[in-house]
Amino acid sequence: MQPTPDLILQGVEAVTCSRTFSRAARQRSFLRYVVEEALEGRAGLLKEYSIGIAVLGRDPSFDPRLSSIVRTEARKLRARLAKYYESEGRSDPVRIALPLGTYAPVFSQTAAPPLRRLSEERPQHPKTAVMRVLVLPFENRSSTRRDELFCDGLTDELSHVLTHIPNVEVVARSSAFQYKGRPTDVSELAERLNLDAILEGSVRRSGGRVRVLAQIDNRQAQTIWSQQYERKQSGGFSLEQEIAQAVANELVSRAQAPQPRPSGVALENRPSRGEPNSRAYQDYLQGVYYWKRHKLEDFGEAVRHFRRAIERDVRFTRAYTNLAYAYLMLPVLNAVLPSEFLPKARSAALRALEIDPQAGEAHIALALPFIQESRWREAGEEFRAGLELSPSDSLGRSWHGMYHVTLGHSSEALREHERALQLDPESPVTSYCYGQTLYLLRRYDEAAHYFRSALALDPSLARAHASLGMVCLQQRKYATALSEMERAVALTSGLGRVQADLGYAYAIAGNKDKAREILDEFLKRFRPASFPAFMIAEVYIGLGDQHNSLEWLHRALDQKDLAPFLSCDPVFDPLRADSRFSAVLKRANLT
């Protein structure tokens, strides 16, 4: 019997999380890659060259005729799979094999699972029945930019409302918008993303009236609900709210035994701020557009649009939370100090909670300044509050995973990243964050896989290029590392933090003259109140100058600008035996 893709992926997770594979990073990455490719219908393209590049990190010049590394790893994988199924995996319902002479996996089912219903319990939540829903971007059947924004606003409002329905899990907006303007096969999409229902629709304007068609399809592509709405177009967003509530009521009626969230706040009892201002909502959507691009130069534009949305509507909760997120990202990418932006981010998040105490995203935004201030307990409390209220927040779960890895909670970190990836499988940022945690855990092959996955979705994501370069440095692939770092800098307008990574990389790769050129430029720019001392410390670490490295790390602490990954980032490994580094960790509350 051929198992379903869902069962196969569960089988992969069982194998890769087992004791048998606990010390086999390459084989785990190899298995995940070939299974994912096979499930995507690309089994026939699994060749030694592609596996060498995608899994084993080989350069494009890799020649399988001159290297047997792929064959060697395949042989190890076959042996380890056999060992696993003889012991831990003896009762697994799915078996995965890699037959000799091919790299295409073969799947078999040893026991028939119970028939899957629309709202069956999922293994990730064994005590909670969850309906998994995707809101596809509504199709604009008119021709104006105004109607395009109306479609985006409708999609956004539906996604937002549905996230507050008990036992309904909504695939994140960033993944949903990957399908905007693309023809989609509903049944194939449901299978790929493990969906129970897909909401889609269209908008058409005629004269002064707008017509909206909304429908819910099940995973077999059968329409189980549809409704047409026709209204005179007003300046507000009451139509979006009406449709969102109708869809919510339909899904609630289909979800199995819905229970209120632990907070005890039902959807209909959430605070209302009245009908949104139309122009404020358009500004908000423009801000979301720039925020989702995750580029250094775009976060400033996102801030501008979110601020303008708030000026037009002072009770626009989501504009405040997204403004806080945008403020928080500016010092992560720019060569500026967090002290300029953290108070603004905290103020925006607190204002969002004043308007709506159940705004989970605002709690998550409050957690991040606490991390920057090394207030780990307070950060953990805000994460827990935020994810209890907004369990489908994939970005919040990604950040929570990175919080856990900082504190040495590796299993909790990986669990949060897996959850984020489930909620937002098509997001480059979700893949990037997972890769970053794997890098911090020294699981370099797997980290490289996720960084490359992020770049496949967004080749212009500078942070992913820089982080892939860091992985290659640890693997002593210096030419590839420098290429990725230089690409990251080229994608960054102005002076960004990735330039410190490049200086560090030049030093590690042996080009100390170029490293010192970057260091000299940083030293000229340094001002205690404005330029990050951490960037200078990073280049000194690469140059092997421990005295200056530690001096500048202490200056970074004075500026309240220190990477939260001091306890686990491989960059700091050369300093760990020095008692002065212990003092740095103590100041950062990491000991």
Side-chain angles (χ1 to χ4, degrees), residues 17 25 58 179 184 198 206 237 268 292 348 360 362 370 419 449 466 484 518 545 549 581:
C17 293
R58 291 305 183 255
Y179 299 96
T184 54
I198 296 176
S206 178
F237 276 76
E268 61 271 17
K292 291 294 183 183
F370 282 133
R419 187 84 177 99
H449 169 74
E484 292 294 339
I518 292 174
D545 187 336
S549 299
F581 186 69

Side-chain angles (χ1 to χ4, degrees), residues 380-402:
E381 290 172 353
E382 293 296 343
F383 272 126
R384 282 189 290 274
L387 291 171
E388 179 183 292
L389 293 165
S390 299
S392 294
D393 189 324
S394 58
L395 187 60
R397 290 199 177 275
S398 291
W399 285 338
H400 196 209
M402 298 174 82

Side-chain angles (χ1 to χ4, degrees), residues 405 435-444 447 451 467 469-475 504 508 534 538 541-542 563-576 581:
V405 78
Q436 190 67 21
T437 287
L438 290 165
Y439 162 75
L440 295 170
L441 292 172
R442 274 73 169 171
R443 293 165 61 165
Y444 298 128
F451 291 140
S467 294
M470 285 294 196
V471 167
C472 292
L473 281 179
Q474 295 299 324
Q475 297 173 322
Y504 170 83
I508 294 295
F534 179 79
E538 184 178 354
I541 293 171
F565 308 125
L566 279 168
S567 60
C568 53
D569 194 327
V571 166
F572 303 108
D573 286 354
L575 306 179
R576 297 195 188 281
F581 186 69

Side-chain angles (χ1 to χ4, degrees), residues 186-359:
V186 169
S187 57
E188 187 276 332
L189 190 59
E191 196 70 33
R192 178 178 178 182
L193 300 182
N194 193 25
L195 302 170
D196 295 307
I198 296 176
L199 173 61
E200 57 182 335
S202 62
V203 174
R204 184 188 301 276
R205 186 187 304 276
S206 178
R209 301 183 70 80
V210 61
R211 180 181 302 153
V212 178
L213 175 64
Q215 68 182 51
I216 301 173
D217 299 328
N218 64 15
R219 63 184 294 112
Q220 289 80 33
Q222 300 166 329
T223 299
I224 56 177
W225 175 87
S226 66
Q227 185 69 46
Q228 183 168 294
Y229 301 82
E230 186 169 344
R231 299 283 189 280
K232 181 178 180 181
Q233 181 62 47
S234 66
F237 276 76
S238 58
L239 180 55
E240 284 94 322
Q241 294 175 326
E242 179 183 346
I243 297 171
Q245 191 61 58
V247 171
N249 292 339
E250 181 64 25
L251 290 178
V252 164
S253 71
R254 291 178 176 273
Q256 184 184 46
Q259 300 294 324
R261 297 228 186 268
S263 62
V265 179
L267 175 67
E268 61 271 17
N269 295 328
R270 288 177 58 80
S272 172
R273 59 176 174 78
E275 185 177 323
N277 177 291
S278 174
R279 295 176 69 187
Y281 209 97
Q282 292 185 31
D283 284 320
Y284 165 78
L285 290 172
Q286 291 281 4
V288 169
Y289 167 78
Y290 284 109
W291 156 251
K292 291 294 183 183
R293 284 162 60 92
H294 281 272
K295 294 177 177 59
L296 187 152
E297 63 272 21
D298 289 330
F299 284 113
E301 277 296 297
V303 165
R304 186 171 68 85
H305 284 286
F306 290 139
R307 285 178 60 87
R308 195 158 64 184
I310 290 166
E311 288 169 3
R312 298 186 193 279
D313 185 346
V314 296
R315 295 185 59 78
F316 198 160
T317 309
R318 276 181 285 162
Y320 282 106
T321 55
N322 279 274
L323 176 62
Y325 281 168
Y327 276 138
L328 289 164
M329 290 307 298
L330 286 170
V332 171
L333 300 175
N334 283 284
V336 295
L337 293 177
S339 57
E340 181 182 347
F341 300 100
L342 291 188
K344 297 176 182 178
R346 181 175 276 127
S347 175
L350 288 171
R351 178 60 179 141
L353 286 171
E354 286 177 14
I355 300 166
D356 181 1
Q358 306 304 316

Side-chain angles (χ1 to χ4, degrees), residues 56 76 106 112 188 293 353 395 446-447 465 484 496 499 563:
L56 304 178
K76 291 178 181 178
V106 173
E188 187 276 332
R293 284 162 60 92
L353 286 171
L395 187 60
E446 293 167 275
H465 283 288
E484 292 294 339
Q499 286 178 270

Side-chain angles (χ1 to χ4, degrees), residues 28-43:
R28 290 196 302 269
S29 298
F30 197 127
L31 180 64
R32 285 195 180 107
Y33 177 75
V34 297
V35 169
E36 289 170 3
E37 291 296 289
L39 292 180
E40 291 295 329
R42 296 189 288 268

